[in-house]
Amino acid sequence: MKRRIFSGMCLVAVSSALLTCICITGILYKSSLDHMRTSVHDQATYVSAAYNMKGMEYLKEIGSITNRLTLIAPDGFVIYDSDQDASAMGNHRDRPEVAHALAEGQGEAERLSKTLAIQSYYYAVVMDDGNVLRVTGEVASVYGSVLRYLPLLVLVSILSAMLAAILAQRLTAKLIHPINTLNLEDPLSNDVYDELSPLLRRIDKQRIQIREQLSQLRENQDEFSAISENMSEGMILLGPQATVLSINQSARRALELGEQDYIGKHILNLNRSLALQSSVQKALEGNSWEEVLSMDGRQFQLLVSPVRRSDEVTGVVLLLLDITEKLQNEQMRREFSANVSHELKTPLTSISGYAEIMQNGLVKPEDMQQFAGRIYSEAKRLIALVEDIMELSRLDERSAGDVQREPVDLLELSNAVMGRLASIAESKNLTVSVTGQPGVVSGIPRILEDMVFNLCDNAIKYNIIGGRVDIEVESLDTGISLSVSDTGIGIAKEHQSRVFERFYRVDKSHSRITGGTGLGLSIVKHAALYHGGKVALASEPGIGTQITVTLPR
């Protein structure tokens, strides 16, 4: 804009200077021509009067002192010329000024020289003797005047251009400065040209609209970020070229990505799985797709959907759902159902078999008590199994806030439980000790009692004759610790990670002898987790086992 204003001002200034020079030249030329005409007329008047009085002699006397004089006979031949030899001049009868003079008494004409430099004016008057006196005046033509003043015109043009450039530069800077210093943050505060007021008002209106739109966009972005970042599902938004537009923290954790900026990068920079690649490709082709993605032992359900605009795919929405726990739970439920069916079937089969033998009268009267004892034993085992299953189901379904909690002293609870198991411990000649200090936790007494009972019951069942069971309650910085140690058969390392699974038995034959259901340690684990605690196992075959439960205060 500044250059255009500057160029325009210079062009106007130079053009004005040139036009002025041309106009002045034209005015001077016209003035000279008028003056020459008047001079020729005046000279023709007094020369013609003198010629009529003195004749040819007068013309010869004045010679070329004045304008050029030519005397022409009526037949057109030149009698006298003040500048040239009359005999060498042609017939002038056809000359316009001569023809007019012969016809009307006087005539005039203007002609340019061949070089266009001289403008000649001819004025002819008929004398008393019939001859025609012609007076010729000359003046430089317009072209000649221009050539004459050309150096001056060039000089004036150069000086005008320089002056115009200086003035144009200053004026342009002065004109542009208020525009360059406009306060666009507050357009209405500018005190500039009135012509800019409509523009400034419109800018202010648009500025307010843009500010409101940006504010709305920020709110929408914050809302979207708040929703996406708090989603447990991983979400990734892709552009039409499968470039990442947005990725939330859940997706970063699922794909094990760091804090590196992946925005604008291709999806393959996040994960090069063929399942992911094929799913994204199908979505870009306009098809929704589901796939299961396996990564580092975890399973993710991959949901990919295209984003359409006017029947054209403009992006892809990708969701990652961690279904590892779901699949594990389904597997556990299948195993649990199978195990429950098997465990229930065994005592029921025994009961049914013994009852059938008794019903058919195949039992001797003296063996009736033994068969009844076996039925009772299997029924008791069946009842214990059902109770354990129901307890696990309650622990699975009960939320942490379902039951009112109350203070429970684990040391006192351990003494009470061992009091109930004292007769069984004595039957195996076990030495039992309960030591430590009072440890009070907030919990549900019945669940905590089942937890301690199963720990102590297992320590007695799987112990050797004459062994030891040590129960210790200790107050730690991290909470209250309950440790149950025995000198029993111990657990091999390959089984230690699975003993807390439901119905898992290290030695099934030994469990059946002792009457175990395979659910005791599962109840212990669930009870500890229900109270926000954790369980630790340390065991060595042939030496014994120690199970430690740590609960928050």
Side-chain angles (χ1 to χ4, degrees), residues 73 165 292 329 333 374 392 396 403 446 448 540 549:
V292 175
N329 290 337
R333 278 194 293 271
R374 291 180 180 178
L392 278 175
D396 285 338
V403 182
R446 187 182 58 77
L448 293 174
E540 192 171 342
V549 178

Side-chain angles (χ1 to χ4, degrees), residues 382-439:
L382 182 61
I383 291 172
L385 179 62
V386 172
E387 287 179 348
D388 285 348
I389 292 173
M390 292 176 63
E391 180 63 24
L392 278 175
S393 298
R394 284 192 293 268
L395 288 173
D396 285 338
E397 297 175 1
R398 186 187 292 117
S399 63
D402 283 345
V403 182
Q404 183 68 34
R405 299 194 178 203
E406 56 185 77
V408 178
D409 187 348
L410 293 183
L411 183 61
E412 181 181 341
L413 181 61
S414 299
N415 282 312
V417 168
M418 286 308 301
R420 290 166 51 192
L421 295 172
S423 60
I424 302 175
E426 288 176 1
S427 66
K428 297 185 71 171
N429 196 25
L430 298 178
T431 302
V432 178
S433 68
V434 179
T435 60
Q437 52 189 322

Side-chain angles (χ1 to χ4, degrees), residues 89-250:
M89 300 176 66
N91 194 295
H92 282 44
R93 185 177 178 83
D94 295 333
R95 302 291 174 89
E97 68 277 4
V98 175
H100 279 85
L102 292 173
E104 301 177 5
Q106 64 178 10
E108 61 181 355
E110 293 182 3
R111 286 191 290 276
L112 287 173
S113 67
K114 293 182 179 180
T115 61
L116 300 178
I118 300 299
Q119 179 81 27
S120 298
Y121 177 70
Y122 301 93
Y123 182 69
V125 181
V126 178
M127 299 294 100
D128 292 343
D129 56 5
N131 293 326
V132 177
L133 176 66
R134 187 183 70 178
V135 180
T136 304
E138 294 180 347
V139 68
S141 66
V142 175
Y143 182 72
S145 299
V146 171
L147 291 177
R148 183 187 308 171
Y149 296 112
L150 183 60
L152 181 60
L153 289 175
V154 172
L155 179 61
V156 171
S157 299
I158 293 174
L159 293 176
S160 299
M162 293 174 61
L163 181 61
I166 296 173
L167 294 177
Q169 186 177 10
R170 293 183 178 180
L171 185 58
T172 300
K174 188 175 181 180
L175 289 172
I176 295 298
H177 178 71
I179 299 176
N180 289 337
T181 57
L182 285 175
N183 181 12
L184 297 180
E185 294 298 325
D186 187 11
L188 298 182
S189 66
N190 296 286
D191 185 15
V192 291
Y193 314 115
D194 294 338
E195 291 79 5
L196 290 179
S197 296
L199 175 62
L200 294 175
R201 285 195 295 270
R202 186 168 182 178
I203 291 175
D204 184 66
K205 184 177 179 180
Q206 290 182 342
R207 183 182 62 86
I208 294 174
Q209 291 176 348
I210 292 173
R211 185 172 58 193
E212 293 175 351
Q213 291 172 353
L214 288 176
S215 177
Q216 184 64 40
L217 285 175
R218 280 193 294 269
E219 290 180 4
N220 294 340
Q221 180 65 34
D222 292 343
E223 184 177 353
F224 173 77
S225 299
I227 293 173
S228 63
E229 292 302 324
N230 286 282
M231 290 174 58
S232 59
E233 301 83 1
M235 184 176 71
I236 303 174
L237 302 182
L238 305 178
Q241 304 300 324
T243 54
V244 179
L245 301 179
S246 176
I247 177 171
N248 67 355
Q249 288 298 325
S250 296

Side-chain angles (χ1 to χ4, degrees), residues 296-462:
D296 296 333
R298 301 193 67 81
Q299 305 292 321
F300 294 90
Q301 186 175 9
L302 188 63
L303 304 176
V304 185
S305 300
V307 177
R308 291 185 176 88
R309 181 180 299 169
S310 301
D311 295 331
E312 181 182 355
V313 177
T314 59
V316 174
V317 177
L318 189 151
L319 292 177
L320 282 169
L321 309 179
D322 191 344
I323 58 174
T324 306
E325 186 175 352
K326 176 183 177 183
L327 295 178
Q328 290 175 349
N329 290 337
E330 290 178 356
Q331 179 65 24
M332 288 177 61
R333 278 194 293 271
R334 288 193 295 268
E335 292 179 357
F336 181 74
S337 298
N339 289 329
V340 166
S341 300
H342 177 73
E343 294 295 333
L344 290 176
K345 184 178 179 180
T346 301
L348 286 174
T349 301
S350 297
I351 292 172
S352 176
Y354 290 136
E356 184 179 1
I357 293 174
M358 294 173 66
Q359 181 184 16
N360 293 331
L362 299 177
V363 181
K364 296 177 181 180
E366 60 271 18
D367 295 330
M368 188 68 70
Q369 184 177 2
Q370 180 183 357
F371 273 77
R374 291 180 180 178
I375 292 174
Y376 174 76
S377 176
E378 292 295 336
K380 186 176 179 182
R381 180 180 168 216
L382 182 61
I383 291 172
L385 179 62
V386 172
E387 287 179 348
D388 285 348
I389 292 173
M390 292 176 63
E391 180 63 24
L392 278 175
S393 298
R394 284 192 293 268
L395 288 173
D396 285 338
E397 297 175 1
R398 186 187 292 117
S399 63
D402 283 345
V403 182
Q404 183 68 34
R405 299 194 178 203
E406 56 185 77
V408 178
D409 187 348
L410 293 183
L411 183 61
E412 181 181 341
L413 181 61
S414 299
N415 282 312
V417 168
M418 286 308 301
R420 290 166 51 192
L421 295 172
S423 60
I424 302 175
E426 288 176 1
S427 66
K428 297 185 71 171
N429 196 25
L430 298 178
T431 302
V432 178
S433 68
V434 179
T435 60
Q437 52 189 322
V440 179
V441 297
S442 176
I444 300 172
R446 187 182 58 77
I447 295 177
L448 293 174
E449 182 181 0
D450 287 343
M451 179 187 73
V452 176
F453 181 87
N454 278 282
L455 286 173
C456 296
D457 186 46
N458 277 356
I460 294 173
K461 282 181 181 178
Y462 299 100

